[in-house]
Amino acid sequence: MMGKNESTNNLENNMTRNIIRTAGALAVALGAVTLLATRGGASAATMLPAPAFDDALATTKGGSMAVFSGGCFWGVQAVFQHVKGVTSAVSGYAGGEVSTANYDRVSDGNTGHAESVRVTFDTSEVTYGQLLKIFFSVAHDPTQLNFQGPDHGTQYRSEIWYTTPQQKTIAESYIAQLTKSKAFSAPIVTKLEPLSNFFPAEAYHQDYFTQHPNQPYIVYNDAPKVAALKKMMPELWRDPPVLVGMAK
């Protein structure tokens, strides 16, 4: 069991990292004249076509899972929590080992993990391809290599963790489709790997967007993503969001 001093030190380290993250967002806001030219932070989302190759909606209710990494998991989680058909969206870590799957270690950027969101969805209400469209268009910028907005490091990389061969095929097809159509002005750098593990993040990271709506980082970086989903894809919008806390 963790001793009191060690527990206190970890809590202080996590608080410090969150302060740094917020300070980074404020710095981005001050430099908005140059940074709003990119899609990191509060800049506009990109209207994308639907995947040309996708599953059809199931005729009966069924559960499936998808895992996405696209920068800070606070905003990615918030976006998917507002998607119709999503039954759960959990922030966590993918790509590394269980022994280092904690915020303090992952934030060092050398554990192999990426901040990720595990999305469970009803295949009769939303398809995997529709989730990919949301991931690429409003949840993050797939052209930013190992960073998103003010957050830098491999733990903030763009990555799709497929759970079935069909998911891999749909994701590869969509990336090729977006690349061919030059949907973005820069190359897509999103990695594609099979999911080997997923470790839920600490409780204080879950539902962070909902619990801290006025935090500067959330206001500047994440609120525009959620707003863009509602505006651009009203047919997939759900309100209220499905929260991790609702399952407890």
Side-chain angles (χ1 to χ4, degrees):
M1 181 176 291
M2 189 178 297
K4 181 178 180 180
N5 289 339
E6 184 179 356
S7 177
T8 300
N9 287 339
N10 284 345
L11 178 59
E12 290 176 349
N13 286 339
N14 290 339
M15 290 176 64
T16 299
R17 292 181 189 280
N18 286 341
I19 291 171
I20 292 172
R21 177 174 280 182
T22 299
L26 291 174
V28 171
L30 292 173
V33 172
T34 55
L35 290 179
L36 284 179
T38 72
R39 289 180 60 243
S43 52
T46 299
M47 183 67 74
L48 298 177
F53 177 73
D54 190 10
D55 292 321
L57 286 174
T59 56
T60 59
K61 286 185 175 294
S64 190
M65 181 183 71
V67 177
F68 303 105
S69 302
C72 172
F73 42 30
W74 296 341
V76 178
Q77 181 192 43
V79 167
F80 284 111
Q81 286 180 323
H82 276 286
V83 175
K84 182 182 72 173
V86 168
T87 57
S88 174
V90 177
S91 291
Y93 312 107
E97 302 299 325
V98 63
S99 60
T100 53
N102 62 77
Y103 187 61
D104 191 52
R105 294 290 299 275
V106 172
S107 293
D108 290 336
N110 55 20
T111 66
H113 296 91
E115 290 196 13
S116 308
V117 175
R118 182 182 64 199
V119 179
T120 304
F121 61 102
D122 183 346
T123 54
S124 70
E125 293 192 62
V126 65
T127 68
Y128 182 66
Q130 288 174 315
L131 296 181
L132 286 174
K133 178 180 176 181
I134 292 168
F135 176 65
F136 281 110
S137 62
V138 302
H140 86 308
D141 183 343
T143 70
Q144 295 183 342
L145 181 62
N146 296 331
F147 80 99
Q148 286 292 311
D151 301 315
H152 291 249
T154 58
Q155 69 272 31
Y156 300 114
R157 65 186 179 269
S158 173
E159 184 146 5
I160 296 168
W161 308 87
Y162 59 87
T163 62
T164 66
Q166 179 75 345
Q167 284 190 356
K168 179 184 180 183
T169 300
I170 294 172
E172 287 178 332
S173 174
Y174 195 42
I175 291 173
Q177 176 186 341
L178 295 178
T179 298
K180 183 177 181 180
S181 67
K182 297 182 179 180
F184 300 98
S185 59
I188 294 173
V189 297
T190 306
K191 297 177 65 176
L192 188 62
E193 290 189 63
L195 180 69
S196 59
N197 50 48
F198 176 87
F199 309 105
E202 295 79 356
Y204 67 90
H205 283 301
Q206 307 300 339
D207 305 331
Y208 198 91
F209 177 93
T210 300
Q211 294 186 35
H212 306 277
N214 298 318
Q215 192 207 54
Y217 182 98
I218 294 296
V219 170
Y220 185 78
N221 292 280
D222 296 334
K225 299 177 182 180
V226 176
L229 172 68
K230 183 177 183 179
K231 180 179 180 180
M232 294 168 56
M233 295 175 234
E235 72 282 3
L236 293 176
W237 173 261
R238 64 167 294 162
D239 200 14
V242 56
L243 302 177
V244 176
M246 294 169 59
K248 296 180 181 179

